[in-house]
Amino acid sequence: MALLSSTALVLAVPTTAWSTERTDGPMTPGQAGQPPASTKEISQNTVARFDIPAQPVGSALDAFIQASGWQVGYPADLALGRTSPGVTGTMTPDAALVRLLAGTGLEYRMTGEKTVALAVAQGGAMRLGPITIEGAGGTTAAAYDPIAGDKADYASTLTRTSVPIRETPNSIGVVTKDAITASGALNLPQMAERIAGVTYGASGAAGNLDYVSIRGFGVAGQNDFFGIAENGLRGSTFHQTDPAMLERVEIIKGPTSIIGGAVEPGGFVNRTVKTPLDENFTEATLQSGTFDLWRAAADANMTIGKSGAAVRLVALAHTGGEFVDDTDRDRYSLLPSIKFDIGDDTTITTFLNLQHEKGREYMGFPVYANGDVPDIPVDRFFGGTGGGYERDHAGMHVDGVHKFLDGLKLNAKAALGYSDYESRNIYAYASNGLPASGSVSVLRHGRRDTDLVMSGEMSLTYDFSFNGQKQSVVAGLDVIRAQRRGLFRYQTAGTDNIFNPTNNFSVSDDFDYHASPFQNIRGVLFQKAVFGQAVLHPVERVTFMVGGRYDWAEQKLDNFKTPSNSSSGEVEDFTGRVGV
């Protein structure tokens, strides 16, 4: 839309006595005059506090102009009959304007550093451009914002800065909160089913761990700490965060060593949990389903005055079974979080992730030697009596952002997590494949795994404009120290037949995995790295990404059962990445 046209035009400029003027003919910026010297003008990268309630679009724009110092041009009749939902929070003017126009059928385009022109959105609906919401202490980019619907346009895991997915030289899938809710997913493999190239991974612990396979490669295996992260930091893979706690899940497909050095070749998974927002709300859900499934969840968020502080609490209680008989499980999760400002330039966000779970595991059946699956009822449980598993997790995450000047910010985050996983069960075993008779060995199995993981990252990000396009440069360092203690024991209990099972075997709750363990190990990983990356847009619709990291890693394995099998090693290497 040209500013000069045959229709009446409104050019709104900041002023203390007058905010908009409607004329019967065209108006130019020169006719409107200049904003008085006392008006505070805010650049695209500067944040301000907006408290604009829902009201007609015209008056909402007046309030926006006064708060931002920006100029807004539009035909005089464009605002008639339209209502703005308003906007509340501390953010950049362009982010505030996007929210202000949401649902109005209008869109805007930048015609200068602090001037915009409005027009009817294409297709009659609001077309959202990049949204960057900045708190007083830094930037919360579109890749971290709650998304309405099941389609995400931005991602940040690969680049450490918010970039449109279509401009990222990598295959990325995002599962949003709404998509998680609509699917009824109860774990990561179920959430990831909607992403092409992602399937269930081999979950050797009866499906209660977050293992997935990306492009045929297992990710987040129980023996490593490489393939999965929470809010950008790696942690225990024996912990399964409930979907009710999650805002989104990003799945990066293909080589991703630029993220964390040693990672699985299939890709990388980043779970983002819910953290405080700049609005007040309370939500509660009650869900029931087959196999005696019941889930109750609550999500409450509260802002604290106009200081930018907010608190949030997400809670869940889950009980119910799976399609296999006698595999009930109970889960209780709690996710309290708080966000607050320190001065005008620093924002701190911290959360606790607490979870307790117990139930019975389904270990499955052996298959025939040729790989064929035996013809037995899918709901048959071959686990005898007694036993089960219990899992506890406690994690703490702190994220701080400090803004030095326009476009330059420091981000520092750290996480500490402890997971304790204990199980005792019965399962069928056939070393050379299931014989035609269906006869199998029956084993008692017990294990205990504990993870203690400390990780952190510090980076500097500089966002700037060149040739009218946004450019981002990131440099920093990250570190992880992870320790896993594992005890494993099995004991032959007898034989049974999977086609006509007696299930007369049991495992007691005091089955001692310490006594003559088959495996007794402790593994420690210490890894540190420096990294740098640039996401450049030399011209519109062209993205160039270049980056690299240098890792130093030490790994030690103590085998207490067979000390001669203990090992240790050190490695260092450079990883580079270029993409267009």
Side-chain angles (χ1 to χ4, degrees):
M1 182 196 78
L3 284 180
L4 293 177
S5 68
S6 60
T7 60
L9 182 78
V10 173
L11 179 68
V13 297
T15 173
T16 56
W18 172 88
S19 58
T20 61
E21 179 179 334
R22 293 169 174 80
T23 68
D24 294 329
M27 175 187 290
T28 67
Q31 290 175 294
Q34 298 299 319
S38 60
T39 301
K40 180 181 179 181
E41 295 188 8
I42 303 171
S43 70
Q44 294 185 46
N45 293 324
T46 305
V47 299
R49 179 72 190 183
F50 294 89
D51 291 291
I52 304 174
Q55 57 188 294
V57 164
S59 57
L61 289 171
D62 291 347
F64 168 79
I65 292 157
Q66 293 301 312
S68 66
W70 281 26
Q71 299 180 14
V72 182
Y74 57 96
D77 59 351
L78 198 64
L80 297 178
R82 302 180 190 270
T83 301
S84 167
V87 57
T88 300
T90 302
M91 62 194 77
T92 57
D94 57 342
L97 191 54
V98 167
R99 292 190 173 190
L100 202 70
L101 298 177
T104 64
L106 302 178
E107 64 179 0
Y108 76 91
R109 64 181 178 88
M110 301 297 300
T111 57
E113 183 180 0
K114 293 184 281 290
T115 60
V116 300
L118 302 188
V120 175
Q122 295 180 0
M126 180 64 188
R127 184 182 64 187
L128 297 181
I131 306 172
T132 301
I133 302 172
E134 296 192 13
T139 300
T140 302
Y144 309 103
D145 294 340
I147 299 169
D150 61 359
K151 181 180 182 295
D153 295 319
Y154 290 78
S156 64
T157 300
L158 182 66
T159 60
R160 290 182 171 86
T161 184
S162 182
V163 177
I165 293 175
R166 64 182 177 83
E167 297 180 9
T168 304
N170 237 88
S171 181
I172 300 176
V174 178
V175 186
T176 68
K177 179 182 67 174
D178 285 353
I180 294 170
T181 302
S183 68
L186 301 179
N187 53 46
L188 176 62
Q190 292 177 5
M191 287 184 278
E193 284 182 334
R194 64 186 292 114
I195 305 298
V198 183
T199 59
Y200 271 78
S203 60
N208 57 12
L209 297 175
D210 277 344
Y211 299 161
V212 294
S213 176
I214 303 178
R215 293 181 174 177
F217 294 93
V219 173
Q222 65 182 29
N223 296 318
D224 64 55
F225 303 92
F226 302 131
I228 193 166
E230 194 156 275
N231 286 55
L233 294 178
R234 289 174 289 169
S236 171
T237 52
F238 269 103
H239 169 55
Q240 184 183 59
T241 298
D242 191 274
M245 307 290 113
L246 298 178
E247 191 65 55
R248 62 193 282 145
V249 176
E250 290 188 16
I251 299 177
I252 317 299
K253 292 178 279 187
T256 53
S257 55
I258 190 69
I259 299 175
V263 296
E264 304 293 345
F268 191 83
V269 178
N270 184 31
R271 304 177 297 211
T272 300
V273 305
K274 298 173 179 176
T275 52
L277 304 175
D278 290 326
E279 56 182 304
N280 296 317
F281 63 83
T282 301
E283 300 174 352
T285 60
L286 180 63
Q287 178 184 355
S288 66
T290 54
F291 313 114
D292 298 322
L293 173 68
W294 288 92
R295 285 170 62 86
D299 185 359
N301 192 96
M302 181 179 69
T303 59
I304 303 174
K306 296 184 178 181
S307 63
V311 294
R312 188 172 186 176
L313 177 65
V314 187
L316 168 89
H318 166 111
T319 184
E322 304 290 334
F323 68 92
V324 178
D325 295 337
D326 301 319
T327 55
D328 293 343
R329 62 183 64 182
D330 299 324
R331 175 183 287 174
Y332 305 95
S333 302
L334 199 63
L335 183 70
S337 57
I338 183 170
K339 179 190 72 171
F340 57 91
D341 295 337
I342 301 176
D344 294 332
D345 300 316
T346 305
T347 297
I348 305 294
T349 302
T350 184
F351 65 82
L352 298 175
N353 193 346
L354 309 174
Q355 188 165 286
H356 172 74
E357 183 177 338
K358 66 184 302 182
R360 299 194 73 194
E361 297 174 323
Y362 171 58
M363 303 299 292
F365 296 89
V367 299
Y368 293 112
N370 63 2
D372 290 346
V373 178
D375 183 16
I376 57 175
V378 295
D379 60 353
R380 178 172 293 172
F381 178 68
F382 190 89
T385 59
Y389 77 93
E390 192 163 352
R391 176 170 54 189
D392 292 286
H393 175 79
M396 181 178 183
H397 185 112
V398 180
D399 194 330
V401 180
H402 178 77
K403 184 176 179 181
F404 293 102
L405 47 88
D406 283 356
L408 180 65
K409 64 170 181 146
L410 172 70
N411 184 287
K413 52 188 175 183
L416 173 65
Y418 176 77
S419 295
D420 188 343
Y421 179 85
E422 184 176 19
S423 71
R424 296 175 175 87
N425 50 60
I426 294 285
Y427 69 97
Y429 177 73
S431 59
N432 297 316
L434 181 69
S437 64
S439 179
V440 294
S441 298
V442 178
L443 303 180
R444 293 186 180 94
H445 168 269
R447 70 181 302 163
R448 172 85 178 274
D449 293 277
T450 57
D451 283 351
L452 178 63
V453 183
M454 296 172 283
S455 54
E457 180 179 299
M458 181 177 294
S459 63
L460 273 173
T461 301
Y462 182 51
D463 295 329
F464 61 97
S465 179
F466 175 77
N467 196 28
Q469 306 295 317
K470 179 185 176 182
Q471 322 292 331
S472 295
V473 179
V474 182
L477 56 89
D478 59 43
V479 62
I480 180 173
R481 185 190 188 279
Q483 174 179 296
R484 173 164 293 167
R485 185 76 166 87
L487 284 167
F488 170 78
R489 179 193 177 196
Y490 69 87
Q491 178 187 74
T492 300
T495 60
D496 206 341
N497 191 289
I498 67 168
F499 298 118
N500 186 26
T502 61
N503 267 345
N504 59 353
F505 299 95
S506 64
V507 58
S508 64
D509 291 341
D510 61 356
F511 178 69
D512 189 4
Y513 40 75
H514 293 89
S516 302
F518 176 75
Q519 186 181 77
N520 184 359
I521 61 171
R522 178 181 62 201
V524 178
L525 167 71
F526 178 66
Q527 180 181 333
K528 55 190 176 182
V530 293
F531 58 84
Q533 186 165 283
V535 181
L536 307 175
H537 300 86
V539 295
E540 188 176 359
R541 302 179 67 84
V542 174
T543 302
F544 179 73
M545 188 178 78
V546 58
R549 61 179 286 133
Y550 199 93
D551 285 271
W552 297 264
E554 303 173 20
Q555 192 161 359
K556 182 179 181 182
L557 176 66
D558 294 316
N559 190 320
F560 299 106
K561 178 178 173 60
T562 311
S564 60
N565 289 338
S566 298
S567 62
S568 63
E570 299 182 11
V571 65
E572 57 182 85
D573 208 349
F574 174 79
T575 300
R577 183 70 187 274
V578 176
V580 179

